[in-house]
Amino acid sequence: MRRKPPPVPRVDRARGRSRHGRGHRSSVTGPELAPVTTRAEVFDRIVGDTAHYLVGLWPEELAGVVFQVADMPHDTSLPDALPRWRVDRVGRRVTVFRIPVERVTHSPEKDDVDRRIVVETAVFRAVAELIDKDPWDLAPDRYRHW
């Protein structure tokens, strides 16, 4: 006759863990600092902000357009150059590829503003391709103060 193993005590994971008697864990940054944001989250935010800005300027042309971010294109039939965005006119979808766009800014002397401009430029060029306009015509007053 087989003996039943003793019951395994259940651990309530909702209250956190106390590893090796050191107390409960806290966030890495602590309560005083802002939470850590990743490069992908910053990239997503820039694409979203730029898309929102362009939809405000061109509401009829961009009505129903879906903006999305992907890490890399997954097509096996790609040309030699890696695309930075894809426009689907039928599906009303603009996809910006994060890694190819970030590779453009992979230089130590570029700061956050330069990186933001590169991402915004990719979104502007993709939207211009979607609605058959020149990228400079999408927001002619945006850089007039320079």
Side-chain angles (χ1 to χ4, degrees):
M1 180 166 144
R2 287 178 111 185
R3 293 175 88 186
K4 279 186 159 180
V8 178
R10 296 195 65 191
V11 177
D12 185 10
R13 302 218 185 263
R15 286 190 254 159
R17 287 179 28 176
S18 174
R19 290 184 62 186
H20 308 289
R22 291 187 219 142
H24 294 288
R25 292 181 163 202
S26 64
S27 67
V28 174
T29 59
E32 297 85 20
L33 299 174
V36 177
T37 55
T38 64
R39 286 184 312 189
E41 291 171 338
V42 171
F43 189 90
D44 290 347
R45 188 174 313 131
I46 294 170
V47 170
D49 292 346
T50 308
H52 182 73
Y53 174 76
L54 289 171
V55 168
L57 291 177
W58 300 91
E60 294 87 25
E61 291 84 351
L62 297 177
V65 173
V66 175
F67 292 87
Q68 64 184 22
V69 174
D71 287 335
M72 290 284 288
H74 296 290
D75 291 347
T76 57
S77 63
L78 287 175
D80 292 336
L82 195 60
R84 289 185 238 160
W85 63 83
R86 177 174 297 126
V87 174
D88 179 13
R89 287 190 170 100
V90 176
R92 306 284 295 162
R93 182 178 307 272
V94 173
T95 306
V96 181
F97 300 115
R98 182 180 62 84
I99 293 174
V101 171
E102 283 182 344
R103 294 289 184 228
V104 173
T105 62
H106 194 66
S107 175
E109 60 269 355
K110 294 198 176 194
D111 60 358
D112 292 339
V113 174
D114 292 329
R115 288 183 185 94
R116 182 175 186 95
I117 289 173
V118 168
V119 175
E120 287 179 351
T121 301
V123 176
F124 267 70
R125 291 177 67 188
V127 168
E129 183 180 325
L130 177 72
I131 63 175
D132 291 325
K133 300 248 184 228
D134 187 68
W136 290 101
D137 293 337
L138 293 179
D141 294 333
R142 182 172 176 97
Y143 301 108
R144 197 173 300 277
H145 61 280
W146 287 5

